[in-house]
Amino acid sequence: LHSINSLAQIGQLPQGGVRRLAFSAEDVAARLQVTEWMQQAGLAVRIDAAGNLIGRYGGQDPQAAALATGSHLDTVPTGGCYDGSYGVLAGLEVVRVLQEKQMRLRHPLEVIVFSDEEGTMIGSKAMSGQLSRDPSTYSVADGTSIQACLQQIGGDWEGIAQVQRSRDQIAAFVELHVEQGPVLQHSGCQIGVVTGIVGQQRQIITVTGLANHAGTTPMSMRQDALVAAAQLILFVHQLACNTPGDHVATVGSLQVFPNAANVVPGKVEMSLDMRDLCSDHLASLIRQVQQEMDRIASQTQTQFQWQPRLQVDPAPASPTLQTTITQVCRDLGYSHHLLPSRASHDAQDMARITDMGMIFVPSQGGISHNESEFTPSEDCVRGANVLLHTLLRLDQLYP
Amino acid sequence: LHSINSLAQIGQLPQGGVRRLAFSAEDVAARLQVTEWMQQAGLAVRIDAAGNLIGRYGGQDPQAAALATGSHLDTVPTGGCYDGSYGVLAGLEVVRVLQEKQMRLRHPLEVIVFSDEEGTMIGSKAMSGQLSRDPSTYSVADGTSIQACLQQIGGDWEGIAQVQRSRDQIAAFVELHVEQGPVLQHSGCQIGVVTGIVGQQRQIITVTGLANHAGTTPMSMRQDALVAAAQLILFVHQLACNTPGDHVATVGSLQVFPNAANVVPGKVEMSLDMRDLCSDHLASLIRQVQQEMDRIASQTQTQFQWQPRLQVDPAPASPTLQTTITQVCRDLGYSHHLLPSRASHDAQDMARITDMGMIFVPSQGGISHNESEFTPSEDCVRGANVLLHTLLRLDQLYP
């Protein structure tokens, strides 16, 4: 708790909250502070070519793959002091406890600070071998090249291919994070056992009708693109609400053309974002939306175009880790709730190369990416305890 | 027909169509041309303080109130050569025919060019006594004061109150105009007998929900302003389509806040424009929309605000004039169709002070306010014939 408060002073905003953009002076300062704490806790620290900061606490068995935990220190422009930092500092706290008790696990234990989680996610993408070789893929908001950004934090674009790791090196990865949503608070549960990180499909849908005089064009002769779009918006919402499952679907942006009170809308452009843990379920929802688009198009004499913008595959949590975390909650007497993560995390990349698990603690009011992000101390402590005991159990479970 | 083509050269655009903005050099040039033609046709021409250009063809009875016809010469920035000009020139043609036949009606006959129909409608507003005394009400697009504008065309803001006329001076007003909509072409009818000019109610509706993470906010915990807005858009459309009547209702503009693909919409602002010939019917439609807003608000946990922006009362055509025009169509063997005008015309102001009627001819493809506005010559001739014979009949009907 002391470390959380202390780290929150690096990049602290006058109105509260933290601004610690990846690769900025604040990010570098936070990484230096954590490096110092890691070294004090007996971790050997290195920075890989993707700028990931890796603290390693040696294990009893030098041949064993590592158990790993961690998260990120960078924030959104107006962030809170829990998103990311909490997971890193709880991992550090686990090692402090082991050190205090003069304990070593059989497996080496790594605490990883992934670089630029809020932006390119280049740290976890490199470590999981999902990197594009084209540096321009990783555009940074202010226009600085990714090469120059990596240099700021001790990374090196040229050597980035060597960052990739495998199950042989990391037997399992567990990330502790604030939920950033309202589910735990709503359910009254103390700990969230994450079932996986949802896949995401984002499209831009263009509806083309015919712009016309809103006075002189009778209702029966209209090809109103906004009426067609409204039908699709409601269909998507009702489909998402009425189909059993944990998916979400959102039309978040929409623009009307020409957008004048006295003109029947001729064109609408809108986004559609759908997320679910199961690729097949997501595909089935999307098929239903596309069928409905065809129906609406012919009913309203409009045309729909569908342009994929983003596709992220779901990253299911390892059943072993879900069971382990659940068992730990029972042992510690913490109420718990199984839920998917519908936000992105470094863990979703780590799931591509090893067993992945995530532990959530409640976010007050479900608020995150916001200065008023808050998780009470008791919840922070509970989460760290679950992380500790999960790592202890995994140490027994994995060869 | 020759006059239409000749006048279309004043302000003609390279790509076709006409740009003759009110008060511009082109407007002044067109008014001078029409003045010359009026004088050649034996009309006494004057300009009133609102800039209305009035040509008067004396009648046999010096005590009788005038019969009047007319329209406007100004255009939208990219207009056609029929909107407005056609009505003025057909009125002129009627007088030419009378002069040619050496006929005078019992009533004096006035052909009126109203000033700035496409903008402030200051000409017809002044003549019908509906003028605001605050000159800033009449803002002109380029920022010139209305006083300076009126001077350009021989008007005078100071004397504008004297422009108002009454039924004692004008017994009836008939305007001939292109339909600017698709109804006549669709019905295959040659002449439109206008039942009145619709009233219009325009509002800005603000829907307030709660902006939230599109990933982490479960469907059941959302207060999505766009989903609420979509419900209202569809309700309005279905209400307008399914309620018997000739009304139209349009949501033409809509903005989403914050308008990002990954954020549940927190606020929507949209326009609602409703038009009908009957005030009570319009009020009943609006009551139903408001009731539905309340229902949607409580179902979606959003709030609706309703801000009136524009209200124009309906201007019914005089039953005498509707009957007369219909009778003339029958006598001439022209197919005809009763329909409301859903666009604004000077006639809607004239209806406040005297009996008003309008005659429509078809607009090809319903297109107007566009370079490609077109009405075939045969239709133009038919409309002018209906105007001539209507005025002849009215001359018998009115004392």
Side-chain angles (χ1 to χ4, degrees):
Chain A
L1 296 173
H2 174 73
S3 297
I4 290 173
N5 291 334
S6 175
L7 197 68
Q9 282 160 35
I10 303 175
Q12 192 159 47
L13 293 167
Q15 72 272 29
V18 182
R19 177 189 177 88
R20 205 158 56 220
L21 302 177
F23 314 117
S24 68
E26 292 79 14
D27 188 26
V28 171
R31 292 160 59 93
L32 280 175
Q33 175 63 83
V34 169
T35 302
E36 195 187 316
W37 286 338
M38 281 179 165
Q39 288 167 338
Q40 287 167 2
L43 290 158
V45 181
R46 68 180 177 98
I47 296 174
D48 70 15
N52 296 309
L53 178 67
I54 305 169
R56 185 170 169 110
Y57 188 71
Q60 293 164 18
D61 177 356
Q63 305 303 321
L67 298 174
T69 185
S71 192
H72 59 99
L73 297 177
D74 62 304
T75 72
V76 293
T78 334
C81 62
Y82 300 91
D83 178 2
S85 298
Y86 170 55
V88 170
L89 298 175
L92 178 64
E93 189 64 17
V94 165
V95 179
R96 284 173 177 155
V97 168
L98 295 176
Q99 194 196 33
E100 206 178 284
K101 308 273 177 195
Q102 297 184 308
M103 275 177 69
R104 285 201 180 268
L105 304 184
R106 195 163 59 74
H107 298 78
L109 176 58
E110 290 192 4
V111 179
I112 306 176
V113 176
F114 293 96
S115 50
D116 193 18
E117 194 269 350
E118 298 292 2
T120 61
M121 298 187 96
I122 195 162
S124 52
K125 294 227 173 293
M127 199 175 283
S128 58
Q130 298 184 91
L131 209 64
S132 156
R133 284 309 296 158
D134 175 6
S136 70
T137 313
Y138 304 99
S139 59
V140 175
D142 71 355
T144 318
S145 72
I146 191 69
Q147 291 99 322
C149 286
L150 288 176
Q151 274 181 9
Q152 293 298 315
I153 56 170
D156 170 25
W157 174 261
E158 293 308 318
I160 206 161
Q162 277 74 59
V163 166
Q164 185 177 353
R165 302 181 76 182
S166 67
R167 190 180 294 273
D168 292 345
Q169 298 168 294
I170 300 179
F173 176 80
V174 193
E175 182 167 356
L176 171 63
H177 207 282
V178 291
E179 183 201 336
Q180 304 183 279
V183 175
L184 288 179
Q185 196 183 40
H186 224 251
S187 70
C189 284
Q190 293 164 327
I191 296 290
V193 181
V194 174
T195 52
I197 299 160
V198 298
Q200 189 175 351
Q201 294 254 14
R202 191 179 295 169
Q203 354 279 333
I204 299 295
I205 297 172
T206 306
V207 193
T208 308
L210 191 65
N212 227 324
H213 194 298
T216 59
T217 315
M219 298 311 293
S220 62
M221 295 187 203
R222 296 180 174 210
Q223 295 166 258
D224 187 323
L226 184 56
V227 165
Q231 289 193 32
L232 192 69
I233 291 166
L234 291 188
F235 177 82
V236 164
H237 186 73
Q238 282 154 8
L239 178 71
C241 289
N242 299 337
T243 308
D246 248 343
H247 50 260
V248 287
T250 309
V251 175
S253 80
L254 183 147
Q255 278 187 291
V256 180
F257 304 88
N259 208 33
N262 60 350
V263 181
V264 176
K267 193 171 89 166
V268 166
E269 259 181 36
M270 60 184 176
S271 63
L272 171 60
D273 180 292
M274 300 183 90
R275 309 186 192 197
D276 191 60
L277 211 46
C278 168
S279 290
D280 288 348
H281 183 63
L282 207 51
S284 149
L285 292 173
I286 284 172
R287 266 196 310 277
Q288 291 177 70
V289 172
Q290 287 175 325
Q291 280 168 12
E292 178 68 8
M293 280 191 338
D294 291 344
R295 196 198 62 75
I296 297 171
S298 81
Q299 191 221 312
T300 58
Q301 293 188 272
T302 57
Q303 292 173 324
F304 283 73
Q305 273 181 307
W306 174 273
Q307 206 181 334
R309 275 294 164 92
L310 178 70
Q311 187 186 335
V312 179
D313 289 333
S318 139
T320 308
L321 270 83
Q322 292 185 56
T323 312
T324 306
I325 298 165
T326 304
Q327 200 54 56
V328 166
C329 289
R330 287 205 185 106
D331 292 354
L332 296 173
Y334 298 161
S335 57
H336 61 279
H337 185 84
L338 286 164
L339 82 173
S341 168
R342 296 202 197 83
S344 294
H345 296 289
D346 294 306
Q348 83 198 38
D349 289 322
M350 295 304 284
R352 316 291 176 205
I353 54 163
T354 190
D355 288 2
M356 179 277 283
M358 281 196 83
I359 304 159
F360 274 173
V361 294
S363 290
Q364 201 167 78
I367 296 164
S368 187
H369 285 192
N370 191 301
E371 307 92 301
S372 56
E373 178 188 83
F374 181 68
T375 296
S377 300
E378 315 85 78
D379 286 318
C380 290
V381 171
R382 276 187 210 104
N385 277 333
V386 174
L387 178 63
L388 170 63
H389 289 278
T390 298
L391 289 166
L392 292 175
R393 274 182 172 262
L394 294 178
D395 193 42
Q396 306 301 320
L397 273 171
Y398 281 87
Chain B
L1 296 175
H2 174 75
S3 297
I4 290 172
N5 290 335
S6 174
L7 197 68
Q9 283 161 34
I10 304 177
Q12 191 159 45
L13 293 167
Q15 73 271 32
V18 181
R19 177 187 177 90
R20 204 157 56 218
L21 302 176
F23 313 119
S24 67
E26 292 79 15
D27 190 26
V28 171
R31 292 161 59 92
L32 280 176
Q33 174 63 81
V34 169
T35 303
E36 195 188 314
W37 286 339
M38 282 178 165
Q39 288 167 338
Q40 288 167 0
L43 291 157
V45 182
R46 70 182 176 97
I47 296 173
D48 71 15
N52 296 311
L53 178 68
I54 304 168
R56 188 171 168 108
Y57 188 70
Q60 293 164 18
D61 178 355
Q63 305 302 321
L67 298 175
T69 186
S71 192
H72 60 100
L73 297 178
D74 63 304
T75 72
V76 292
T78 333
C81 63
Y82 300 91
D83 178 1
S85 298
Y86 171 55
V88 170
L89 297 176
L92 177 65
E93 189 63 18
V94 165
V95 179
R96 284 173 177 155
V97 168
L98 295 177
Q99 194 196 32
E100 207 177 282
K101 308 270 176 194
Q102 297 184 310
M103 274 176 69
R104 285 199 178 268
L105 304 184
R106 196 163 58 74
H107 299 79
L109 176 57
E110 290 192 5
V111 180
I112 305 176
V113 176
F114 293 96
S115 51
D116 194 19
E117 193 269 352
E118 297 293 0
T120 60
M121 297 187 95
I122 195 163
S124 51
K125 294 227 173 297
M127 199 176 284
S128 59
Q130 296 184 93
L131 209 63
S132 157
R133 283 310 292 156
D134 175 5
S136 70
T137 313
Y138 304 99
S139 60
V140 175
D142 71 355
T144 318
S145 72
I146 191 69
Q147 292 98 323
C149 285
L150 288 177
Q151 274 180 11
Q152 293 299 315
I153 56 168
D156 169 24
W157 175 260
E158 292 309 316
I160 205 162
Q162 277 75 59
V163 166
Q164 185 176 353
R165 303 180 75 180
S166 68
R167 189 179 294 273
D168 291 346
Q169 297 168 294
I170 299 180
F173 176 80
V174 193
E175 182 168 356
L176 172 63
H177 207 283
V178 290
E179 183 202 336
Q180 304 185 279
V183 175
L184 287 180
Q185 196 183 38
H186 224 254
S187 69
C189 284
Q190 295 166 325
I191 295 290
V193 181
V194 174
T195 51
I197 298 161
V198 297
Q200 188 175 355
Q201 295 253 13
R202 190 179 297 168
Q203 354 278 332
I204 299 296
I205 297 172
T206 306
V207 193
T208 308
L210 190 64
N212 228 323
H213 195 297
T216 60
T217 315
M219 297 312 294
S220 62
M221 294 187 201
R222 297 181 173 207
Q223 295 167 257
D224 186 324
L226 184 56
V227 166
Q231 290 193 31
L232 192 68
I233 291 166
L234 290 189
F235 178 82
V236 164
H237 186 73
Q238 282 154 7
L239 179 71
C241 289
N242 300 336
T243 307
D246 246 343
H247 49 262
V248 288
T250 309
V251 175
S253 81
L254 183 146
Q255 278 188 290
V256 180
F257 304 89
N259 208 34
N262 60 350
V263 181
V264 176
K267 193 170 89 167
V268 167
E269 260 180 35
M270 60 185 175
S271 63
L272 172 60
D273 181 291
M274 301 183 90
R275 309 186 191 195
D276 191 62
L277 209 48
C278 168
S279 291
D280 288 348
H281 183 64
L282 207 51
S284 148
L285 292 173
I286 284 172
R287 266 196 310 278
Q288 291 177 71
V289 172
Q290 286 174 325
Q291 280 169 11
E292 179 68 7
M293 280 191 338
D294 291 345
R295 195 198 63 73
I296 297 171
S298 82
Q299 189 222 312
T300 58
Q301 293 188 272
T302 57
Q303 290 173 326
F304 282 75
Q305 272 180 307
W306 174 273
Q307 208 182 331
R309 275 293 164 91
L310 177 72
Q311 189 187 335
V312 179
D313 289 333
S318 140
T320 307
L321 270 83
Q322 292 184 56
T323 313
T324 305
I325 297 166
T326 305
Q327 200 55 55
V328 167
C329 289
R330 284 202 189 112
D331 291 353
L332 296 174
Y334 297 161
S335 57
H336 61 279
H337 185 84
L338 285 165
L339 81 175
S341 167
R342 296 202 196 82
S344 294
H345 295 289
D346 294 307
Q348 85 198 39
D349 290 321
M350 295 304 283
R352 316 294 175 202
I353 54 162
T354 190
D355 287 3
M356 179 276 282
M358 279 195 86
I359 304 158
F360 274 174
V361 292
S363 290
Q364 200 165 81
I367 296 164
S368 188
H369 284 194
N370 192 302
E371 308 91 300
S372 56
E373 178 187 83
F374 181 68
T375 295
S377 300
E378 314 84 77
D379 286 318
C380 291
V381 171
R382 276 187 210 103
N385 275 334
V386 174
L387 178 63
L388 168 64
H389 288 278
T390 298
L391 289 167
L392 292 175
R393 274 183 173 260
L394 294 178
D395 192 44
Q396 306 299 321
L397 273 170
Y398 282 88

